[in-house]
Amino acid sequence: MLFHHLSSGEVVEKSKTESTDERVGEFRKRLRIVDIKGGESEGCDRLGETLTVRGWVRTLRVQSSVTFIEVNDGSCLSNMQCVIDSDAEGYDQVESGLIATGASICVHGVVVPSQGKKQKIELKIHKLVTVGKSDTSFPIQKKKVTREFLRSKAHLRPRTNTFGAVARVRNALAYATHKFFQENGFVWISSPIITASDCEGAGEQFCVTTLIPSSKEAIDSPADAIPRTKNGLIDWSQDFFEKPAFLTVSGQLNAETYATALSDVYTFGPTFRAENSNTSRHLAEFWMIEPELAFADLNDDMACATAYLQYVDVVEKSFVRLTYTDAVELLLKSKKKFEFPVKWGCDLQSEHERYITEEAFCGCPDIKAFYMRQNDDGKTMNSTSIRRAFGVPHAGFGLGFERLVQFATGLDNIRDTIPFPRAPGSAEF
Amino acid sequence: MLFHHLSSGEVVEKSKTESTDERVGEFRKRLRIVDIKGGESEGCDRLGETLTVRGWVRTLRVQSSVTFIEVNDGSCLSNMQCVIDSDAEGYDQVESGLIATGASICVHGVVVPSQGKKQKIELKIHKLVTVGKSDTSFPIQKKKVTREFLRSKAHLRPRTNTFGAVARVRNALAYATHKFFQENGFVWISSPIITASDCEGAGEQFCVTTLIPSSKEAIDSPADAIPRTKNGLIDWSQDFFEKPAFLTVSGQLNAETYATALSDVYTFGPTFRAENSNTSRHLAEFWMIEPELAFADLNDDMACATAYLQYVDVVEKSFVRLTYTDAVELLLKSKKKFEFPVKWGCDLQSEHERYITEEAFCGCPDIKAFYMRQNDDGKTMNSTSIRRAFGVPHAGFGLGFERLVQFATGLDNIRDTIPFPRAPGSAEF
């Protein structure tokens, strides 16, 4: 286990050999703003309590007699309104301008009724401690900023209302996903990220290699340095895996392997597509949920998917089910002119999904983002050599986790649903 | 959502448009062997019940009057002993040799007391259905096989007692990890897998690129095809991310970013090292758990780690804590001759850890696999430009998940703790 500690950017090392018992108390969940304001009548049950809030200054309003500091600790959308007057310990930090948007503070005080209309309680500060001052260039001030701008500040965007909320929704959906499958007896399988298996092929893949020098040296690396065979081909025998290796596009085959031994399993891990799609609907790196059920057919499969979506609470009503073949038929029958012409075997595009959900089944709002398609599996995964040993009917589905987050949050751009989005030309932070 | 169904290797497509309500019943957790035999007195509470077991034939013993079929469904180590006589429906499948080790079967029958000493109950079969027959080349028969051999059959090893159990332990540890952090108010952050950030550098990295043709074509790819600039350097502007990109070695910096907005967060995702270490202790791809606590110091950090390890139930006693500096001092003082000489700044090797755990602290068995080291962070992660904006003391730790699985299972080789191990020259399945 590797421990680290940074005190406002600097490394601290203590140099003592000591047993746990001597130094460390019990690990306790810390009191958060969500615990305080999430209580009875927005925190009124805590009136009179003396407590400590740790968080970041969102805004500061200096008035003649008192100063209001809005503090957020990321546990919920709501800030804790903290009030300080000139008598309180640490008030000089307000006067000196140390307390500004973005500063990290600890406030110790008593819960009192708030005169304001926006909240029922506030914290009357006894003691204020600035733990870390705000950088003067802190770019997120109290004004509306675009999500495009925030994407360029990925390391700061979780401090905004929207991205803080997205992070919490994403977390809740991820945990509910694990809970659903665990409670139903599924075993989580970590499907591999790197694969040298040449039988996938659903989409463009990223190559994973050590033939190109690592890290900083790469940028100045001569193309000639790639090792070659006598025939001028890339010499894969010198690569890390001694053959071409790629980032996985799906864990389905791996899940199948385990389903045919453990009955019901699921993967929940990153998958990759190197498609040059610079759209609001595509990510080069995204998380997939892929359950696999042995001794199961399509009905069991769809029942599982429906139960899952109801459990994670993104749908309440029933689904319309449509096979890929029927969807294609429906689109052909429509006689509509699509930008991408429809024929059996083509990938369905947003315009096609829109027609199906908005026109063909306009009374059924729930299928929206969850267009169901029968996997044309025989074509995309030619892995009969491994499958032959399975010998059991099995079924499953694949769900892009970011699509689910998008569905739950209503965000336009899928890049806003994942902490550090990867897209063509973009792999920062 | 993409659905698929394979009936013993073939794709089945149904062609109906229908609403959920009409066709699909409630999704129910299926009855597993663990549910049957995990009950009161090893299943005696189910005596007389008629039920169905689905699973794989482990062994078959044909006796003069009856045949015993041991069935395993992956839900636990224990098999269900099923007994069939010549009157039962489907007995011809036993006679014809269809029922062999590895076959997938459904057995319907009644729970009766067992005469055998190994179990209290068994299933008297009324009806036997072979769902998938075993491949004649099924390589896992009833005999002891080495783990090395099984590593070459990664797609079949979960059907063995050992690897089935490892998969269940791994699953239990993963879920307990999520539960611990969720119950303590941490938010799960998916740290990115691909990173173009040039400030990591703790260990050798894999390059992620589309400059090399994807998948099958790669093997015959001429080295000349790598695009180059006028100066003969690799032309990164033509790569997917328009600059060199790598597989992450740690999510710590990403976790820090979110901790300074949401207070306490954790990552639990894959990380990578391209080190050419073909040992039983290294994986090229492994899962890391990296919590990050804002407003925290090393004591909070270690208290959290201790509480976590106690929660996931791999330790009961207390830890000895040792900083990296003290460990190095201890090793230097020992005057022992190590293969890898010790000086401050070196990586500690197994021989060093062994000395510390077995000789220096021989009364404290619990630190075994959990050697604690202060991160020499200022050196390995030179990211002050991003860190400047953090302005809050924070602490965390990194734990290799496979080390935890190894600790819990006692397996010698770390490659046996992960479903599809990646190591130099090895990225199969």
Side-chain angles (χ1 to χ4, degrees):
Chain A
M1 235 184 224
L2 223 65
F3 288 85
H4 65 266
H5 172 227
L6 288 106
S7 169
S8 307
E10 278 163 50
V11 181
V12 179
E13 173 159 4
K14 291 196 184 122
S15 180
K16 282 273 179 297
T17 307
E18 49 214 341
S19 88
T20 313
D21 298 349
E22 288 168 49
R23 285 283 310 274
V24 178
E26 204 190 326
F27 178 71
R28 251 168 281 162
K29 189 186 166 186
R30 286 184 281 181
L31 189 71
R32 306 270 158 76
I33 294 173
V34 70
D35 304 318
I36 300 166
K37 297 186 79 168
E40 208 177 303
S41 188
E42 294 163 45
C44 288
D45 53 330
R46 294 203 182 255
L47 283 171
E49 260 184 53
T50 298
L51 47 83
T52 303
V53 168
R54 294 169 191 85
W56 295 273
V57 174
R58 280 289 174 87
T59 59
L60 187 81
R61 279 177 294 136
V62 184
Q63 296 191 348
S64 55
S65 58
V66 291
T67 295
F68 293 95
I69 310 171
E70 296 282 337
V71 181
N72 189 285
D73 69 358
S75 67
C76 57
L77 191 68
S78 192
N79 301 325
M80 177 60 98
Q81 175 160 298
C82 303
V83 195
I84 188 164
D85 64 29
S86 53
D87 297 338
E89 193 180 336
Y91 181 72
D92 55 306
Q93 295 160 43
V94 176
E95 285 183 311
S96 69
L98 205 57
I99 304 296
T101 298
S104 314
I105 62 172
C106 282
V107 286
H108 188 69
V110 64
V111 179
V112 297
S114 175
Q115 306 303 318
K117 281 176 190 158
K118 289 189 182 163
Q119 62 280 316
K120 296 208 167 160
I121 58 162
E122 60 191 27
L123 196 74
K124 186 172 161 40
I125 298 180
H126 294 161
K127 187 181 173 183
L128 166 69
V129 180
T130 307
V131 176
K133 62 180 204 266
S134 177
D135 196 284
T136 46
S137 62
F138 191 77
I140 301 173
Q141 297 295 332
K142 196 190 176 176
K143 59 175 183 187
K144 207 163 170 68
V145 286
T146 68
R147 290 188 197 138
E148 286 69 29
F149 170 77
L150 288 172
R151 244 171 265 143
S152 74
K153 308 277 173 204
H155 60 302
L156 291 172
R157 63 180 194 169
R159 291 219 203 160
T160 64
N161 279 348
T162 302
F163 287 95
V166 170
R168 288 185 296 271
V169 169
R170 186 179 165 92
N171 175 63
L173 286 172
Y175 189 44
T177 297
H178 284 296
K179 271 169 84 174
F180 172 81
F181 289 112
Q182 295 287 338
E183 287 171 8
N184 284 290
F186 287 65
V187 173
W188 174 70
I189 300 300
S190 48
S191 49
I193 308 305
I194 302 171
T195 176
S197 154
D198 61 356
C199 36
E200 302 204 11
E204 294 292 308
Q205 286 182 280
F206 288 101
C207 184
V208 175
T209 180
T210 53
L211 294 181
I212 293 172
S214 122
S215 214
K216 278 187 179 169
E217 295 82 42
I219 201 109
D220 298 322
S221 194
D224 286 342
I226 309 283
R228 59 179 73 197
T229 63
K230 275 183 208 157
N231 306 327
L233 302 181
I234 294 174
D235 185 1
W236 293 107
S237 72
Q238 294 190 44
D239 204 356
F240 190 90
F241 297 108
E242 296 167 18
K243 55 165 74 174
F246 301 91
L247 291 182
T248 186
V249 295
S250 163
Q252 186 189 324
L253 187 58
N254 309 99
E256 283 180 3
T257 295
Y258 270 75
T260 59
L262 304 176
S263 297
D264 294 346
V265 303
Y266 70 110
T267 73
F268 183 18
T271 52
F272 306 83
R273 296 287 149 83
E275 277 153 33
N276 205 353
S277 306
N278 223 333
T279 79
S280 63
R281 298 171 65 239
H282 290 89
L283 288 167
E285 174 180 320
F286 55 99
W287 285 63
M288 281 264 275
I289 297 159
E290 293 175 289
E292 194 68 40
L293 298 80
F295 301 98
D297 65 14
L298 265 184
N299 271 335
D300 302 318
D301 195 17
M302 293 195 186
C304 176
T306 307
Y308 164 71
L309 291 173
Q310 283 165 346
Y311 184 93
V312 300
D313 213 11
V314 292
V315 289
E316 280 169 23
K317 292 176 220 141
S318 67
F319 287 85
V320 168
R321 295 170 169 201
L322 197 58
T323 65
Y324 175 73
T325 302
D326 288 338
V328 169
E329 230 167 79
L330 212 67
L331 291 163
L332 290 173
K333 272 191 198 151
S334 77
K335 302 255 162 73
K336 228 180 138 89
K337 259 215 170 282
F338 293 109
E339 191 188 333
F340 295 87
V342 175
K343 65 171 186 174
W344 201 94
C346 75
D347 270 341
L348 295 183
Q349 306 291 332
S350 355
E351 56 171 351
H352 306 139
E353 297 186 3
R354 245 192 328 269
Y355 170 77
I356 292 165
T357 55
E358 291 172 15
E359 299 187 42
F361 292 93
C362 65
C364 309
D366 278 339
I367 61 167
K368 227 179 160 170
F370 301 107
Y371 181 75
M372 294 176 178
R373 177 183 160 191
Q374 173 87 27
N375 198 359
D376 47 341
D377 212 77
K379 274 170 281 173
T380 57
M381 296 182 86
N382 181 25
S383 319
T384 39
S385 64
I386 287 180
R387 285 228 172 83
R388 203 178 39 179
F390 289 171
V392 61
H394 52 281
F397 62 87
L399 172 64
F401 182 59
E402 282 71 23
R403 292 274 167 97
L404 187 74
V405 177
Q406 201 177 9
F407 189 79
T409 55
L411 286 165
D412 294 333
N413 194 324
I414 202 160
R415 296 188 200 184
D416 294 333
T417 63
I418 187 165
F420 303 91
R422 278 20 185 163
S426 166
E428 309 301 329
F429 304 105
Chain B
M1 235 182 224
L2 223 64
F3 288 84
H4 65 266
H5 171 227
L6 288 105
S7 169
S8 307
E10 278 163 51
V11 181
V12 179
E13 174 158 4
K14 293 199 183 119
S15 180
K16 281 271 180 300
T17 308
E18 50 214 341
S19 89
T20 313
D21 297 350
E22 289 168 50
R23 283 285 308 273
V24 178
E26 204 190 326
F27 179 70
R28 252 168 280 162
K29 189 185 167 188
R30 286 184 281 179
L31 189 72
R32 306 270 158 76
I33 294 173
V34 70
D35 304 317
I36 301 166
K37 297 185 77 168
E40 207 178 302
S41 187
E42 294 163 44
C44 287
D45 52 330
R46 294 203 182 254
L47 283 172
E49 258 184 53
T50 298
L51 47 81
T52 302
V53 168
R54 293 169 191 85
W56 294 273
V57 175
R58 279 291 174 86
T59 60
L60 187 80
R61 279 177 295 136
V62 183
Q63 295 191 348
S64 54
S65 57
V66 291
T67 295
F68 294 96
I69 310 171
E70 296 281 336
V71 181
N72 189 284
D73 69 357
S75 66
C76 58
L77 192 67
S78 193
N79 301 324
M80 177 60 96
Q81 174 161 300
C82 303
V83 195
I84 188 165
D85 63 29
S86 53
D87 297 339
E89 193 181 335
Y91 181 72
D92 55 307
Q93 295 160 42
V94 176
E95 285 183 310
S96 68
L98 204 59
I99 305 296
T101 299
S104 314
I105 62 172
C106 282
V107 285
H108 187 69
V110 62
V111 178
V112 297
S114 175
Q115 305 304 318
K117 283 177 188 156
K118 289 188 180 162
Q119 62 281 317
K120 295 207 169 163
I121 58 161
E122 61 192 26
L123 197 73
K124 187 173 159 41
I125 299 179
H126 294 159
K127 186 180 173 185
L128 167 68
V129 180
T130 307
V131 176
K133 62 180 204 258
S134 176
D135 196 283
T136 46
S137 62
F138 192 78
I140 301 174
Q141 297 296 331
K142 196 189 176 179
K143 59 176 184 186
K144 207 160 171 71
V145 286
T146 67
R147 290 188 197 136
E148 286 69 28
F149 170 77
L150 288 172
R151 243 170 265 143
S152 73
K153 309 276 172 204
H155 61 302
L156 290 171
R157 62 181 194 169
R159 291 217 201 160
T160 64
N161 279 348
T162 302
F163 287 95
V166 170
R168 288 185 297 271
V169 169
R170 186 178 165 94
N171 174 63
L173 286 171
Y175 189 44
T177 297
H178 283 296
K179 272 169 82 173
F180 172 81
F181 289 111
Q182 295 287 337
E183 287 170 10
N184 283 290
F186 287 65
V187 173
W188 174 71
I189 300 299
S190 47
S191 50
I193 309 304
I194 302 170
T195 175
S197 153
D198 61 356
C199 37
E200 302 204 8
E204 294 291 309
Q205 286 181 279
F206 287 101
C207 184
V208 175
T209 181
T210 53
L211 294 181
I212 293 172
S214 120
S215 213
K216 279 188 178 168
E217 295 82 43
I219 201 109
D220 298 321
S221 194
D224 287 342
I226 309 283
R228 59 180 72 197
T229 64
K230 275 183 207 156
N231 305 326
L233 302 181
I234 294 174
D235 185 1
W236 292 107
S237 72
Q238 293 190 45
D239 204 356
F240 190 90
F241 297 108
E242 295 166 20
K243 54 165 74 173
F246 301 91
L247 291 182
T248 185
V249 294
S250 162
Q252 185 188 326
L253 188 58
N254 310 99
E256 283 180 4
T257 294
Y258 269 74
T260 58
L262 304 177
S263 296
D264 294 345
V265 303
Y266 69 111
T267 74
F268 183 19
T271 52
F272 306 84
R273 295 289 149 81
E275 276 153 33
N276 205 353
S277 305
N278 223 333
T279 77
S280 62
R281 297 172 66 239
H282 290 88
L283 288 167
E285 174 181 320
F286 55 99
W287 286 63
M288 281 264 275
I289 298 158
E290 293 176 289
E292 195 67 41
L293 298 79
F295 300 98
D297 65 14
L298 266 184
N299 271 335
D300 303 317
D301 196 17
M302 292 195 187
C304 175
T306 307
Y308 164 71
L309 291 174
Q310 283 165 346
Y311 184 92
V312 301
D313 213 12
V314 293
V315 289
E316 281 170 21
K317 292 174 218 142
S318 66
F319 288 84
V320 169
R321 296 168 170 203
L322 197 59
T323 66
Y324 174 74
T325 302
D326 288 338
V328 169
E329 230 167 78
L330 211 68
L331 290 163
L332 290 172
K333 272 189 196 151
S334 78
K335 301 257 163 73
K336 228 181 137 85
K337 260 216 171 269
F338 293 109
E339 192 190 333
F340 295 88
V342 175
K343 65 171 187 176
W344 201 95
C346 74
D347 270 341
L348 295 183
Q349 305 292 332
S350 357
E351 57 170 350
H352 307 138
E353 296 187 3
R354 246 195 326 269
Y355 170 78
I356 293 166
T357 55
E358 291 172 13
E359 300 187 42
F361 292 94
C362 64
C364 309
D366 279 339
I367 60 169
K368 225 176 163 180
F370 302 107
Y371 181 75
M372 295 175 176
R373 178 184 160 190
Q374 174 87 28
N375 198 0
D376 47 343
D377 212 76
K379 274 171 283 172
T380 57
M381 296 180 87
N382 181 26
S383 319
T384 39
S385 66
I386 287 180
R387 285 230 172 81
R388 201 179 41 181
F390 290 170
V392 61
H394 52 281
F397 63 86
L399 172 64
F401 182 58
E402 282 70 23
R403 292 276 166 96
L404 187 74
V405 177
Q406 200 177 10
F407 190 78
T409 56
L411 285 166
D412 294 333
N413 194 323
I414 202 160
R415 296 188 199 183
D416 294 333
T417 63
I418 186 165
F420 303 91
R422 274 36 183 149
S426 166
E428 310 301 329
F429 305 105

